[in-house]
């Protein structure tokens, strides 16, 4: 673990000059710009008792970098099958007002997003394809038509929708951006989804695939 930390910090020191040139724009908007991500890898079977993976022995590194100051906020080595969303939940107490939290789908949780907002902070995240989107018109809820918006957008085009609600709890989101994938991006995502579903012994269905043709965040 000490070795991995030293490798990370050495790499960051080399990257800081390049990163500092792009951060000035954001200093007036945010106190901290937090980027959280994880990576996992296999280990020899001898480590299985302490570091379990989904198939074999494995470890996962959780790393959160603060871009404006160039500092490390979180660096943790876990078992490969530990949940990213659970890790994010246990670090929520470190979020301060005016922070901007950038996370990928592995950390997606409606409860986490609600707490970030309650703490006076901001977030950017992808929206899971199984999350329903609602708009409220004349006091009535209407579910967002993914297929319709996908047909209206050309490849690579995006549209921004304000004042929407997501999930069964109707979590309020100030704005949501929908972007249709290009043909190349769609082929890559389709290959990934099919490979993932095949590994789990499931078949891909047309309707969920149509939603995956749209990236929303």
């Amino acid at each position: 673990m000490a070795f991995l930390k030293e490798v990370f910090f050495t790499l960051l020191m080399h990257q800081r000059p390049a990163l500092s040139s792009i951060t000035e724009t954001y200093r007036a908007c945010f106190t901290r710009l937090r980027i959280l991500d994880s990576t996992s890898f296999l280990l020899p079977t001898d480590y299985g008792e302490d570091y379990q993976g989904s198939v074999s022995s494995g470890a996962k590194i959780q790393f959160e970098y603060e871009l404006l100051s160039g500092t490390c906020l979180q660096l943790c080595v876990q078992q490969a099958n530990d949940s990213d969303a659970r890790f994010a939940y246990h670090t929520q107490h470190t979020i301060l007002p005016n922070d901007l939290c950038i996370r990928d789908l592995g950390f997606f949780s409606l409860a986490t997003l609600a707490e970030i907002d309650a703490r006076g902070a901001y977030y950017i995240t992808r929206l899971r394809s199984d999350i329903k989107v609602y708009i409220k018109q004349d006091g009535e809820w209407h579910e967002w038509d993914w297929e319709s918006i996908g047909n209206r957008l050309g490849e690579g085009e995006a549209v921004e929708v304000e004042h929407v609600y997501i999930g069964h709890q109707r979590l309020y989101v100030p704005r949501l951006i929908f972007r249709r994938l290009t043909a190349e991006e769609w082929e890559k995502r389709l290959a990934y989804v099919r490979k993932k579903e095949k590994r789990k012994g499931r078949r891909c269905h047309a309707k969920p695939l149509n939603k995956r043709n749209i990236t929303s965040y």
Side-chain angles (χ1 to χ4, degrees):
M1 289 175 63
F3 171 74
L4 290 173
K5 289 182 179 181
E6 188 64 29
V7 170
F8 267 113
F9 284 121
T10 300
L11 176 62
L12 288 174
M13 290 303 102
H14 284 288
Q15 290 182 334
R16 283 189 67 177
L19 292 172
S20 62
S21 63
I22 64 173
T23 59
E24 292 302 321
T25 305
Y26 306 105
R27 293 185 186 278
C29 304
F30 307 107
T31 304
R32 296 186 296 180
L33 205 162
R34 310 171 57 139
I35 304 171
L36 175 62
D37 204 357
S38 69
T39 184
S40 57
F41 49 90
L42 297 176
L43 290 174
T45 55
D46 297 349
Y47 292 86
E49 185 175 343
D50 297 316
Y51 291 97
Q52 298 179 6
S54 56
V55 178
S56 181
S57 304
K60 175 182 289 187
I61 297 175
Q62 295 283 0
F63 180 61
E64 187 170 26
Y65 182 68
E66 203 287 287
L67 185 61
L68 300 184
S69 64
T71 57
C72 169
L73 300 180
Q74 314 282 345
L75 182 56
C76 176
V77 178
Q78 301 178 306
Q79 298 186 122
N81 58 3
D82 284 341
S83 166
D84 288 346
R86 189 179 301 113
F87 177 84
Y89 174 78
H90 288 299
T91 61
Q92 289 290 91
H93 66 281
T94 67
I95 296 175
L96 302 176
N98 225 38
D99 281 354
L100 173 61
C101 303
I102 301 178
R103 299 171 178 177
D104 67 12
L105 276 178
F107 300 92
F108 185 87
S109 163
L110 293 178
T112 298
L113 298 183
E115 185 169 349
I116 292 175
D117 183 61
R119 288 178 175 271
Y122 304 89
Y123 56 84
I124 299 175
T125 182
R126 283 261 309 278
L127 185 67
R128 284 206 328 252
S129 60
D130 62 336
I131 297 295
K132 292 185 177 181
V133 178
Y134 301 89
I135 56 175
K136 197 171 186 178
Q137 296 178 332
D138 300 325
E140 295 184 358
W141 295 104
H142 300 273
E143 185 177 345
W144 192 262
D145 187 349
W146 289 79
E147 188 170 354
S148 174
I149 192 172
N151 293 334
R152 294 202 308 268
L153 294 176
E155 290 186 17
E157 287 186 346
V159 62
E160 181 176 322
V161 182
E162 295 183 339
H163 310 302
V164 298
Y165 301 79
I166 60 176
H168 294 297
Q169 299 89 355
R170 308 292 199 273
L171 175 66
Y172 173 71
V173 180
R175 61 178 179 161
L176 192 62
I177 298 173
F178 296 91
R179 178 180 175 273
R180 184 175 177 180
L181 302 181
T182 64
E184 183 180 359
E185 291 170 334
W186 172 233
E187 286 301 321
K188 288 182 178 179
R189 180 174 291 187
L190 190 60
Y192 171 78
V193 170
R194 284 174 173 165
K195 182 179 179 180
K196 184 178 179 181
E197 297 299 298
K198 183 178 180 181
R199 188 170 62 245
K200 294 181 178 180
R202 299 187 306 210
R203 295 181 60 185
C204 294
H205 297 286
K207 191 171 182 180
L209 285 178
N210 288 338
K211 294 178 69 174
R212 289 192 176 103
N213 195 15
I214 300 292
T215 290
S216 45
Y217 53 94

